[in-house]
Amino acid sequence: MSSSSDSRANKPVLSQTEQRAVVSLASLYALRMLGLFMVLPVMMIEGQKLDGATPALLGLAMGIYGLTQALLQIPAGTLSDRIGRKPIIIGGLLIFALGSLIAASADSVWGVIIGRALQGGGAIASAIMALVTDLTREENRMKAMASIGASIGLSFSVALILGPWLAEMGGLSLIFGLTGVLAIGGILVTLFVIPNPPAVPHRDASAVWSEVGVQLRNKALWPLNIGIFLLHALMVAIFVAIPGQLLNAGVVAEHHSWLYLPVLMVAFVLMVPFIIVAEKKQKMKGVVLTGALGIAAALLLMSQADSLWQWIALLLLYFWGFNLMEASLPSWLSKIAPAGAKGSAMGIYSSMQFLGAFAGGSLGGWIMSSWGSSTLFGGLGALVILWALILSRSSAPRHLTSVRLNTGGTCTDQQLAQLMDLPGVSEVSLPDGDGAIYLKVSADAFDRKQASAIVDPTGEEHGSQR
């Protein structure tokens, strides 16, 4: 009993300042993603009212935000290291609000395309993640990042439900107008709620340009980069076709929310046991492949579906697989990214994610207009199978976590050798000018106090496991 009590007592707890920072930053990220996602389930229906609208151009309007987001993702993050996180976040939200205003007032499809491109130009994701690092202690950072990740998943689900409901009341103008208001609210939160810490260099949170080039050549990461590219291409591409298919199945547009709501809830519940197996039983590769095959099966069957109950079942299967892969792929990347390179690897990964959204919208709309929805679904399903075959040739990830130890300025070769000899340590990296050592370790075998004692014999504890 006493051992259990001691374990609970020693468990890191978020301070009030950390709680405020995590809640406000998670809300900020979620509100921005909500604005980007709400148009997905309604663009192909409501967008037909725009001058010059075609399926190809509406698909481009859905996905164009991904192109500008991908191009600016890493530069905005590295710039925040120089001029501060908040200026980048506030500037990004102002650009996002401007894009929302342009899209809300647009009468033509090209106005919406310009507005959506500007929305993506407000690339604040990297700055938010870096600010989480600045505002939380090392031992609480994993909780903070998990909260951000959960807010993204929640925003996607809420967006699919809110989008059709808002479109019924005021069309695309209401959705984009509300998105702009949320962006202004985000600026107020940034100014008056989020604290003002000094920016701290942290290679596991921010990309480093020299390291980005190295990780672009890291072949072990590319199956995951391709996977997230494909997953987000699917996310946008299927909504080029699904709203129309639901209309054909007898579900009027204003009732689409009531179909998505139970499907998303059940898909989430069914996903949870598989995530537990992936992490606790260390079956990540098998779980990801299972999710991919579930998505492929759903897409191939969608090419032939015609009844409402078929669409409900297939959407449930698709969103189950999507949620499973969306949660698992970044975890896999975190496990295999080299010590001190996680931020750069994740920057590439996130850029590929947004490029996927752009490709899915632009190519999905073109395929839909040229060959129809059956070809779109069948082609997407075949691509997922091809990717699963590529991933099956990859090694299963070792379940390692990242650790950062402040050096206090110097570290000898003897100290590095001692760290490498510790149980559970598989990799040690000492980047120039960062003032820290980065390790990849097995959490079950690694003793952070031992490592901290080697780096700082005075006894100050510096480590974190993420």
Side-chain angles (χ1 to χ4, degrees), residues 147-173:
S147 298
I148 299 289
S151 73
I152 298 171
L154 179 62
S155 67
F156 177 70
S157 298
V158 172
L160 295 189
I161 296 165
L162 280 182
W165 179 60
L166 292 172
E168 180 187 1
M169 294 193 299
L172 291 176
S173 294

Side-chain angles (χ1 to χ4, degrees), residues 87-230:
I88 293 297
I89 293 173
I90 292 171
L93 288 172
L94 286 172
I95 294 172
F96 186 81
L98 176 61
S100 301
L101 177 63
I102 291 173
S105 59
D107 295 322
S108 73
V109 68
W110 287 107
V112 172
I113 290 172
I114 293 171
R116 289 283 282 176
L118 280 173
Q119 282 187 326
I124 62 174
S126 295
I128 290 177
M129 291 302 187
L131 191 52
V132 172
T133 299
D134 298 340
L135 288 169
T136 56
R137 289 169 292 168
E138 300 277 358
E139 60 267 27
N140 286 327
R141 196 150 300 135
M142 184 167 61
K143 294 179 184 177
M145 294 297 184
S147 298
I148 299 289
S151 73
I152 298 171
L154 179 62
S155 67
F156 177 70
S157 298
V158 172
L160 295 189
I161 296 165
L162 280 182
W165 179 60
L166 292 172
E168 180 187 1
M169 294 193 299
L172 291 176
S173 294
L174 177 60
I175 293 176
F176 286 123
L178 177 60
T179 298
V181 171
L182 294 176
I184 299 302
I187 292 174
L188 297 177
V189 169
T190 303
L191 288 172
F192 301 112
V193 179
I194 301 172
N196 294 288
V200 179
H202 199 311
R203 286 173 172 253
D204 279 342
S206 301
V208 178
W209 279 111
S210 59
E211 190 63 45
V212 168
V214 174
Q215 297 312 312
L216 281 171
R217 297 188 295 273
N218 187 341
K219 295 180 180 179
L221 299 180
W222 274 102
L224 305 180
N225 292 335
I226 294 171
I228 198 63
F229 174 92
L230 182 57

Side-chain angles (χ1 to χ4, degrees), residues 32 36 39-40 43 56-72 99 103 109-122 176 232 235-237 240 351 353-365:
R32 182 179 176 279
L36 290 172
V39 299
L40 294 184
M43 179 67 81
L57 290 178
L58 291 176
L60 178 62
M62 290 169 67
I64 187 67
Y65 78 90
L67 178 61
T68 48
Q69 178 88 9
L71 293 175
L72 296 174
V109 68
W110 287 107
V112 172
I113 290 172
I114 293 171
R116 289 283 282 176
L118 280 173
Q119 282 187 326
F176 286 123
H232 279 253
M235 180 189 75
V236 179
V240 171
S351 297
Q353 168 184 320
F354 290 113
L355 279 176
F358 168 66
S362 54
L363 295 178

